[in-house]
Structure formats: C-alpha cells, structure tokens
Amino acid sequence: MSILNNRDISEIFYDYQRCWLNDQSRFKIGLWARQTGKDFCAAAEAVFDCHLNAGTTWVVLAAGERQALESIAKAKDWARALDLVIADYTENFAEPEVAATSRRRLKNKKGTMLNSAEIKFANNSRFIALHAKPETVRGYSANLILTEFAFHDDPDAIWRAIYPSISNPLRGGEKKLRIISTPNGLNNKFADLWHNAADYTKHRTDIYEAVKDGLKLDIAKLKTGLNDPDAWTQEYECKFIDTTSILLPYDLIQSCESSDASDSGDLDPVARPARTSPLFLGIDFARKNHLTVAWLIEKVGTTSTSSPIGPHFITRHVLTLRNTPTPDQIAKLRPLLKLVGRASINYTGGGIGLGDYLVQ
C-alpha cells in the first residue's frame, strides 16, 4: 500500500522525488543537489509510514539544531496534509552549562541547546528529530534518516553509534535506513557509503535532472549568483571533489569558526584605541583571476588568564580585492601594514620587488 496512490498527493512531487518515495528498499542513499527538496521528501516518507503503520518510529539525525527543527516542521506539515492527529509534541533541551561547553553550540531563546524534538501521533507512531551527536543517538531503535550526513560533525562516530541499533534483529526487527546529502569532499563516511556500499539502492539527482523534471529554478542565474565553481560542482552538480591535496581540510577550518570573530573593524591607526595585544597580518597578493586577500588577526588572552582556552587568535579584519589595479591594491594594503608588528606576504603574483614597495 502506498500513499502515492492518492493522486492529489502524488502530483505534489517531481518524478525524481516519486522515484525515491516508491523505492521500498531497506537501505537507500540519496546524492541530491541543494534546493531539490531532499528533506521535504525524507519527512514525507517517514510521516506516510507513520500514517499507514501504527506504532512506527522514525528518527532523523540532522547536522545541527536548526535543521532538526526544520525536519520537525516539515513532518508537522505532512501530518496536517494527511489529517494525522498529533497527540503530543515535545522539545528537550540540554542544561545551560552543558550547552555552553558545546564547540558549536546553537541556542534557543533561553540559551539552552536542543537535544531532541518529538511528534507523537494518536496512532502511537513517533517522529523524532535529533541534533546528531554520538552521545545522543545511542539507544534509539527506529527507522533512521541521516540528513546532510556528509556535513555531520563526526559521521564515523555517529555511524558506529547508530548502526548496531538498526541492524539488531533483537530490537524490533529490521529497521529502514535513509541517507541523504550533498557531497562534501571524499574523506567522509557519506562518500565512502555512496561509492562502496553494495547493499543500498542509490538515487542521484543533480540540479540539471531536477530542473528537467520540472523544478522551477533558473540554473544560469543560480550559478552566477553563487559565483563559486567548486561549490557549484559539489552542491549542485553532485560531484565529489578530492580534498586530499588541501593543506588544511575544510572540517578543520570549520572547527575554528567563531561568532565572536569579525571581518571588519576600525582600521584607522590614529582613531583606533591603542591595543596592548599584538596584531599579525597575512597577505596573499594576486593580479589576475584570483583574489588578493589580507587577513588581520589579534592574539588575545595570556597563560595567566581565567579563560579556559588561554591564548588564542581572533580575526579582526579581512580585506579581499578582485580585479583591482596593483597601485590601488597597495594603497588599500598599506594602512593594514601600519597596524601590525609582523606581516607575512606571498607576492609571487605581483613579482619581485613588490614586498619592498608595500612596506615603504
């Protein structure tokens, strides 16, 4: 029995989405482009199953709190569309002191961090959304959706935590597994499963296939607006980019991001209040094709500070210059050089002598 037999509901979906929904395989993996409705489809399948089979439980593991709540919102929308009665809805949050220790915490209005959100239907079925962390996913025995799995903080640890529960016949029979994501390089569990898992049915939908099936997007306008060839290749053409030759992996860079950092500030060395902490500047100079980038950081904290993280560096300003004549670039870079005690300059793109010219 399939909910897609209902013509009114079936016509909501594009062909590539119907193909996914009609596939009743136990293990499915979807390589889908951005903005093609993968979470919309995943929530639909789970709620349809809850509607048709009383006592069914689905768990969605999301890369972050925001995405977990969006999955719950989509499930609510589908429940209303099917007149499926919601008996209860709950959200569970971590204690404030626990949330504060999270490396990449996401806060609600009270400053706490979402652990889980759950819809309980009148027929005793459940839809649960979790912020994917190994410590929160253990113990669940349910049908499982891993959404944007390539972007989970520690997908290998999450996989080790959840796979035994969905494969154990002593815990309620064989559970279904749905994995959906856009690519995020080759060095992650999602890429490994996509290329090597033999017992999965695989669905690939890039932006061109989605538009061909009727998705209303202007590809040329979207590509021009994104203006990032690597991002377009991965997130819209669904091609895996090999990042093994990159000096600093993207996930390592992402772990250093902070909401306290900024990309602008008062650069007037006279008007700016005197700083006692040192500033450092890195400049990568370019004349053609690539950007010139100047990155200013400040060393804050000392070994005697009460801060638990001790001395660290915070971005204070980022200057990017594209298609700018060399004299104009130099005019913009010199004020930054006057602020710092030390600068590192890569000026191979500018030629011999540029470094001396900059610091005059």
Side-chain angles (χ1 to χ4, degrees):
M1 183 178 179
S2 173
I3 204 77
L4 291 184
N5 292 333
N6 183 317
R7 182 177 178 182
D8 290 338
I9 291 177
S10 180
E11 290 180 349
I12 294 173
F13 300 100
Y14 300 110
D15 286 345
Y16 64 91
Q17 295 174 325
R18 281 193 288 267
C19 182
W20 173 269
L21 291 168
N22 283 323
D23 181 358
Q24 296 301 305
S25 303
R26 184 183 172 200
F27 294 148
K28 294 192 301 191
I29 184 167
L31 179 63
W32 286 27
R34 291 279 299 276
Q35 298 180 257
T36 54
K38 51 185 173 292
D39 288 314
F40 171 80
C41 236
E45 181 180 15
V47 175
F48 293 171
D49 198 24
C50 288
H51 175 63
L52 296 172
N53 300 289
T56 298
T57 300
W58 280 86
V59 171
V60 56
L61 299 184
E65 180 187 38
R66 177 189 58 78
Q67 191 172 34
L69 291 173
E70 286 181 357
S71 294
I72 279 285
K74 289 181 174 69
K76 287 180 178 178
D77 289 342
W78 280 115
R80 284 191 287 268
L82 299 172
D83 293 325
L84 185 56
V85 177
I86 296 176
D88 194 18
Y89 173 71
T90 57
E91 292 181 356
N92 298 310
F93 291 90
E95 294 299 321
E97 62 270 19
V98 176
T101 63
S102 174
R103 178 170 57 83
R104 296 170 64 194
R105 63 188 182 274
L106 293 166
K107 297 179 180 179
N108 75 336
K109 293 179 181 179
K110 297 180 181 179
T112 54
M113 184 176 65
L114 181 76
N115 272 341
S116 67
E118 178 179 341
I119 299 171
K120 187 171 183 179
F121 299 107
N123 67 354
N124 208 34
S125 290
R126 301 160 69 202
F127 183 97
I128 304 167
L130 302 174
H131 178 188
K133 297 179 292 181
E135 62 269 25
T136 61
V137 303
R138 290 182 181 274
Y140 283 94
S141 181
N143 302 301
L144 185 64
I145 301 167
L146 300 176
T147 180
E148 291 294 7
F149 189 43
F151 296 87
H152 285 199
D153 280 345
D154 193 346
D156 290 307
I158 290 168
W159 185 256
R160 290 192 296 269
I162 59 93
Y163 190 78
S165 66
I166 64 170
S167 59
N168 187 350
L170 299 178
R171 303 193 65 180
E174 295 183 342
K175 303 301 183 183
K176 296 177 181 178
L177 175 62
R178 307 309 187 223
I179 305 175
I180 52 176
S181 189
T182 51
N184 185 27
L186 284 167
N187 301 317
N188 55 70
K189 189 63 180 179
F190 174 74
D192 175 52
L193 290 170
W194 175 259
H195 289 106
N196 301 313
D199 51 350
Y200 289 68
T201 57
K202 298 179 180 180
H203 297 252
R204 183 184 184 280
T205 301
D206 61 26
I207 194 66
Y208 308 110
E209 184 68 26
V211 170
K212 180 182 176 182
D213 277 357
L215 184 65
K216 305 301 182 184
L217 282 177
D218 186 326
I219 292 178
K221 186 176 181 180
L222 187 64
K223 188 174 183 179
T224 299
L226 182 62
N227 193 28
D228 186 330
D230 285 347
W232 179 262
T233 298
Q234 284 208 123
E235 299 192 14
Y236 289 95
E237 294 183 339
C238 294
K239 297 177 182 178
F240 293 86
I241 295 179
D242 186 359
T243 59
T244 56
S245 61
I246 293 175
L247 178 62
L248 299 176
Y250 295 134
D251 56 349
L252 178 60
I253 296 172
Q254 193 175 49
S255 71
C256 298
E257 292 178 356
S258 169
S259 59
D260 297 327
S262 65
D263 62 358
S264 63
D266 182 3
L267 300 180
D268 186 339
V270 177
R272 185 175 62 87
R275 291 182 184 272
T276 58
S277 52
L279 294 169
F280 303 88
L281 180 67
I283 300 173
D284 185 6
F285 189 88
R287 289 189 301 174
K288 299 179 181 179
N289 300 325
H290 301 293
L291 287 169
T292 288
V293 178
W295 202 290
L296 182 71
I297 60 174
E298 179 181 11
K299 185 178 181 180
V300 297
T302 66
T303 54
S304 61
T305 185
S306 58
S307 170
I309 60 176
H312 56 286
F313 295 89
I314 292 182
T315 296
R316 290 307 184 197
H317 186 76
V318 178
L319 174 67
T320 59
L321 301 170
R322 183 189 294 275
N323 297 327
T324 304
T326 297
D328 293 344
Q329 292 196 48
I330 291 172
K332 292 179 180 293
L333 291 170
R334 277 180 173 165
L336 288 174
L337 285 162
K338 292 179 181 179
L339 295 176
V340 302
R342 183 178 299 176
S344 176
I345 306 172
N346 176 5
Y347 53 86
T348 54
I352 296 173
L354 176 68
D356 294 335
Y357 187 44
L358 272 172
V359 298
Q360 286 179 356

